[in-house]
């Protein structure tokens, strides 16, 4: 994929992401009726939005760096920022799904009762761990990306002229790559298990709960049940997006060597843009703080559009 195709295909997605993120930030800063978002929901939503902002700034910087003659190294560093921001966004979505599962599914066993009581502390601990892991991931991939001829070992010599040191650095980079890739796979499997368990538990509980309501002659149109079903459906869709993006990221996140071209990077960014756009749409449908504000703005706009029509009809009479 060339730069012109990349810009034309990703421009609408980027514009949609910028407008949507700005709206979400407005909703979090000024929630409807002054209702405050409770923790840890506020932390998770803030993490998702901050990761999206970091991602969009990096993509825009990549587009501008394309105009520079020696832009490949700059693009490589920016691609690391993109990978880390997407990884943080994905894990924040996982723990957001886990949090809603703990709020919907009643706990019956001792372990789940303990998790439900301490869900805030659990999410805080994993959130801090994720940030440390992200820093380690960025640093490790940066070491993998650095060209070997860029290491200076004295004022007048480089690694290029010191073959033992060059071989050591090559061996070190290969081991760093293996460690980072292994940790990434373990991290992916762990987050995938959390996502599957959270969504599966919620679906299993709600299906049984709805069957009991039908058996007792209760209506299925209560607002609480609709909200729970909505959150469950968006959680399942987010899980599908997570698996798709995680598999692609694991396959393409470690471009080592000169075979990785800018066209490959543009393809990766296009896939990530699709994931980000889908996640933003999912977030707006599933989160009441965004959905209610959008409905309120829509009603105000409809009232403003109806008012001139009413005035014109009165003047005509």
């Amino acid at each position: 994929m060339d730069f012109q195709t990349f810009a034309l295909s990703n421009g609408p997605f980027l514009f949609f992401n910028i407008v949507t993120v700005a709206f979400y930030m407005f909703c979090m800063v000024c929630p409807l009726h002054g209702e405050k978002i409770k923790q840890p929901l506020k932390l998770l939503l803030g993490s998702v939005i901050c990761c999206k902002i970091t991602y969009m700034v990096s993509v825009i910087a990549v587009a501008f760096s394309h105009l520079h003659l020696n832009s490949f190294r700059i693009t490589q560093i920016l691609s690391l920022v993109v990978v880390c921001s997407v990884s943080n966004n994905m894990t924040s979505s996982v723990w957001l799904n886990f949090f809603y599962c703990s709020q919907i599914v009643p706990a019956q066993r001792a372990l789940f009762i303990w998790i439900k009581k301490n869900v805030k502390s659990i999410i805080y601990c994993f959130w801090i761990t994720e940030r440390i892991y992200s820093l380690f991931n960025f640093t490790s991939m940066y070491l993998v990306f650095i060209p070997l001829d860029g290491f200076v070992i004295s004022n007048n010599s480089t690694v290029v002229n010191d073959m033992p040191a060059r071989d050591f650095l090559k061996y070190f980079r290969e081991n760093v790559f293996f460690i980072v890739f292994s940790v990434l796979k373990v991290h992916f499997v762990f987050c995938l298990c959390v996502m599957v368990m959270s969504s599966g538990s919620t679906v299993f509980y709600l299906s049984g709960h709805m069957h009991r309501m039908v058996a007792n002659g209760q209506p299925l149109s209560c607002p609480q049940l609709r909200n729970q079903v909505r959150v469950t459906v968006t959680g399942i869709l987010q899980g599908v997006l997570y698996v798709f993006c995680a598999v692609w990221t694991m396959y393409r996140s470690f471009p080592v060597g000169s075979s990785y071209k800018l066209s490959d990077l543009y393809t990766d960014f296009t896939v990530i843009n699709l994931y980000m756009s889908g996640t933003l749409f999912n977030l707006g449908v599933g989160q009441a703080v965004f959905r209610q504000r959008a409905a309120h703005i829509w009603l105000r706009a409809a009232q403003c559009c109806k008012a001139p029509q009413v005035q014109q009809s009165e003047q005509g009479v």
Side-chain angles (χ1 to χ4, degrees):
M1 178 182 294
D2 57 4
F3 177 77
Q4 185 176 3
T5 305
F6 166 76
L8 292 176
S9 60
N10 288 271
F13 289 108
L14 188 60
F15 176 78
F16 168 78
N17 291 341
I18 291 174
V19 174
T20 308
V21 166
F23 172 71
Y24 289 170
M25 290 179 62
F26 169 73
C27 293
M28 293 192 65
V29 174
C30 303
L32 189 63
H33 306 309
E35 298 179 358
K36 294 183 179 180
I37 306 174
K38 297 181 180 180
Q39 297 289 4
L41 179 60
K42 186 175 183 179
L43 175 66
L44 295 175
L45 292 178
S47 298
V48 172
I49 293 175
C50 288
C51 291
K52 292 182 186 299
I53 294 174
T54 305
Y55 163 77
M56 290 187 296
V57 171
S58 301
V59 171
I60 295 174
V62 169
F64 280 103
S65 68
H66 175 78
L67 303 176
H68 197 272
L69 294 178
N70 299 319
S71 62
F72 185 68
R73 293 303 174 190
I74 300 175
T75 306
Q76 280 187 316
I77 302 301
L78 292 173
S79 68
L80 292 182
V81 179
V82 169
V83 170
C84 292
S85 61
V86 172
S87 177
N88 290 332
N89 178 275
M90 293 168 65
T91 54
S92 297
S93 300
V94 170
W95 294 112
L96 187 64
N97 199 23
F98 172 80
F99 170 72
Y100 273 107
C101 174
S102 66
Q103 301 300 304
I104 295 174
V105 180
Q108 298 178 352
R109 298 184 179 182
L111 176 60
F112 295 106
I113 293 174
W114 179 84
I115 292 176
K116 195 177 185 68
K117 289 182 178 179
N118 301 276
V119 62
K120 185 183 294 187
S121 301
I122 293 173
I123 291 178
Y124 285 158
C125 291
F126 276 104
W127 186 86
I128 295 173
T129 304
E130 293 287 350
R131 302 291 81 75
I132 297 174
Y133 163 76
S134 179
L135 180 62
F136 166 76
N137 196 17
F138 179 84
T139 305
S140 302
M141 287 193 295
Y142 179 75
L143 292 176
V144 172
F145 274 173
I146 291 178
L148 293 179
D149 55 2
F151 287 92
V152 179
I153 61 176
S154 66
N155 291 331
N156 298 318
S157 61
T158 63
V159 175
V160 177
N161 300 322
D162 193 341
M163 295 306 297
R166 185 181 179 89
D167 293 339
F168 169 77
L169 289 174
K170 184 178 180 180
Y171 175 78
F172 174 77
R173 291 177 61 177
E174 291 176 352
N175 281 272
V176 168
F177 172 80
F178 175 77
I179 293 172
V180 171
F181 192 71
S182 300
V183 172
L184 181 66
K185 289 193 294 185
V186 173
H187 182 251
F188 160 68
V189 173
F190 174 73
C191 291
L192 182 61
C193 291
V194 173
M195 178 72 78
V196 171
M197 290 179 61
S198 301
S199 299
S201 299
T202 308
V203 170
F204 181 77
Y205 165 74
L206 284 180
S207 60
H209 181 62
M210 293 172 68
H211 279 95
R212 288 191 296 269
M213 291 180 65
V214 172
N216 296 330
Q218 298 177 353
L220 298 177
S221 59
C222 60
Q224 183 179 4
L225 181 61
R226 288 202 306 268
N227 292 334
Q228 291 177 349
V229 172
R230 184 184 295 110
V231 170
T232 303
V233 173
T234 55
I236 294 174
L237 294 177
Q238 186 61 38
V240 174
L241 290 172
Y242 174 85
V243 173
F244 171 72
C245 190
V247 171
W248 183 272
T249 303
M250 288 179 61
Y251 179 68
R252 300 293 294 272
S253 288
F254 297 95
V256 182
S258 58
S259 59
Y260 190 80
K261 302 178 182 179
L262 281 175
S263 59
D264 300 326
L265 187 64
Y266 295 152
T267 304
D268 294 342
F269 280 6
T270 302
V271 173
I272 295 174
N273 262 331
L274 292 173
Y275 166 80
M276 286 292 188
S277 301
T279 302
L280 280 175
F281 176 79
N282 238 8
L283 205 63
V285 174
Q287 303 301 317
V289 63
F290 305 141
R291 192 175 61 255
Q292 292 174 359
R293 172 64 75 174
H296 180 260
I297 293 176
W298 178 263
L299 290 176
R300 292 288 298 271
Q303 292 175 357
C304 292
C305 292
K306 288 181 180 179
Q309 295 179 0
V310 173
Q311 292 179 358
Q312 290 176 2
S313 61
E314 289 179 352
Q315 291 176 359
V317 173

